Amino acid sequence: MTSAAEQRAPAGGRAAAPSTNGARRAPVPGPPVWPGAPTPLGARFRVGPDGVAGTNFALWAAGAQSVRLCLFDADGRETRVPLTELTHEIWHGFVPGVLPGQRYGYRVDGRWDPWTGARWNPAKLLLDPYARAVDGEFTLPAEVYGHVRDWPEQQVADTVRDERDSAPYVPKGVVVHDDDDWSDDHRPKTPWADSVIYELHVRGFTKLHPGIPEELRGTYAGLAHPAAIEHLVELGVTAVELLPVHQFAHEDHLLRRGLANYWGYNSVGYFAPHAAYAASGTAGQQVGEFKRMVRALHAAGVEVILDVVYNHTAEAGELGPTLSLKGIDNRAYYRLQDDARRYTDYTGCGNTLHVVRPQVLRLITDSLRYWVTEMGVDGFRFDLAAALARSMHDVDMLSPFLAVIAQDPVLRRVKLIAEPWDIGSGGYQVGAFPPLWAEWNDRYRDAVRDFWRHALPDVREMGYRLSGSSDLYAWGGRRPYASVNFITAHDGFTLRDLVSYERKHNEANGEDNRDGTDDNRSWNCGAEGETADPDVRARRRGQLRNLLTTLLLSTGVPMLVAGDEFGRTQGGNNNAYCQDNATGWLDWSLLQEPGWRELFALTSRLIALRHRHPVLRRRAFFAGRAQAADGLRDLAWFTARGAEMTEGDWYAPAATLVMYLSGRDIPGRDERGAQVVDDSFLAVLHAGAEPTGFVLPGPPWAEGYEVVVDTSREDQSAPPGTAHPAGAEVTVPGRSVLLLRVLGGPGTG
């Protein structure tokens, strides 16, 4: 047998094909092709010369020697159409008679020289990176790999070109007619400071919902159903952050274990709504269904934010499949190492898109604008955003990607959220992104978790996190709402599991429990996992109330994870990315249990409280100093004795933190120019196991206090409403939060 090394072609040549490869199916002769236009990229249906309807196809493939458009009929018969027009590295042509619903792909020919990063292989059908819809599922048989996957010498297998035809096994792009002007849509345009984000999975949120018709469960139409929207409205959230809905593929190692990529962080089509989430069909119908979902959410006052994965694609590294970009121009689309056979991997997923290159940057920004202008979305959360902010190597806040976003007239107006890290050197960038950007604040997550398990050495970190993380974001004109505060996210324990498990339990993932983080900062309250012990169960419910109350009282933008408000569990799995089953889906029956229904009621009441009181959603950082002669400050901190904290108090071990928020000293004005004035509040957070006494501060802070929230109470169906005079000593139960409204203080009601 000829070795891989012997098959290497001279520079600019082509490697010989292994003799084991099968024959291709003969294509059908193609229709005539008119020159068409190089823009816009992708497949765009339109009326051409002489009023003839057809579709213009345009594909950027700079280093290719030829490009053939492949059209497929309902029986899978392929028609190949050479695109001979080449303008500014874009191959293009107008094909008369090609109408919406047509399935298509590309074959791109060029050099096979993996040692220099050239991996063209015309035997592989490629998905158009600009396809608006995708029909079919990626199953990853050997035929979809550009190299011979089962080559005996695996260390060089990626250098041996596979000549088998992949077309029967690859999903096809679909021509879609974009004719929606959104004139009947009304975007909520919720200000950042007023936002409450709710992270959810389209399939997982709707799959078991009893109020959604069975045929719509797990789909965009299911999320648009009144039963789904009713929950969001009753809860009071202002935006849903959808886990990836770009067309994605499943990883080979999951398919081999009978699993699938459930979360969807493995994109392959940046313009196409994931077809498996469509109830109406996959021949383009998914586009209209997604738009109707967005309209329904907007009508309910809920914005739509997409979790987007532009840092890598589903094609993985040199041993990954050839599905799209790898076969179009591997060297241009991906960051390669000095050894160009290998990929630079800042993502942990095998490859990293080379965003510095103009065409890659164009792909991403064209996609973002498309989802805003034609699909109606209101913002984006960027997975591993630090990888996008890298210039040639280092993370650079003046990088082309960030510069383009800052000046783009469409994108600079929508909500932009960075996951501010990647796995590369220097990739942790929390607090470093420029104005316009909000960030997932994992320092908030860690501090709150540690405080409530009584693991912080002192309260300095907690003070910063409660008050908006000014140490991270008070620069360059950034505001408190640059901090997206979260305690849980899709990645990690659910909130209920956070107080029920101290160790991950990921055995069902098939990776011997090696996957998922070991740094959970969790406390099981006395027993690992589910238990019948009433004391442990009561302790856990109390901790859930503490965590949710802390999140919704903190300055910044709170983010909840779907189901945390009613006790969703994943059985201790902290990496349920491959659990497309009851582990990953929301169990709506929990809302029928009184305890979990009360947790939902408390969460809803806290969100409503936040919406009513601007002092809880400030648009500027606290000054922390007296604004008037009476000495009252906009933010003050107290010890258990009712005295203001000194410098030494911040460094002393403590289980209690008391925060005073003045409603008199809120910077900014309302829409009519009037000064914003609100009630003042005192929040007492006590993480100690035993009750503690606390002296309520007297004048000028207050004349009295009314209890608004007491998380020690099991029954949260109504606020406690207990009043106390200033100077009185109250007992704060162990592991609880007291929120008190100030009575009789300056500027208060």
Side-chain angles (χ1 to χ4, degrees), residues 575-651:
N575 190 35
Y577 77 106
C578 56
Q579 297 300 318
D580 187 7
N581 48 45
T583 297
W585 305 337
L586 270 65
D587 179 4
W588 292 94
S589 69
L590 292 169
L591 279 171
Q592 305 307 311
E593 301 179 23
W596 299 125
R597 182 69 193 178
E598 287 178 4
L599 186 67
F600 171 81
L602 173 65
T603 308
S604 180
R605 185 156 62 85
L606 287 165
I607 293 175
L609 186 75
R610 186 180 182 90
H611 288 323
R612 287 197 305 271
H613 292 286
V615 72
L616 299 178
R617 43 187 173 82
R618 289 173 56 99
R619 287 164 165 76
F621 287 105
F622 294 98
R625 56 180 179 269
Q627 303 293 313
D630 58 15
L632 189 73
R633 290 191 292 281
D634 58 357
L635 174 68
W637 306 91
F638 292 89
T639 68
R641 302 182 305 277
E644 289 190 68
M645 290 179 66
T646 65
E647 184 74 11
D649 291 326
W650 285 107
Y651 289 85

Side-chain angles (χ1 to χ4, degrees), residues 47 53-54 73 144 148 154 210 244 318 334 386 525 533 616 633 734 736 740:
V47 175
D73 65 16
V144 306
V148 180
Q154 276 293 295
E318 61 270 14
Y334 293 114
C525 295
D533 186 319
L616 299 178
R633 290 191 292 281
S736 68
L740 304 103

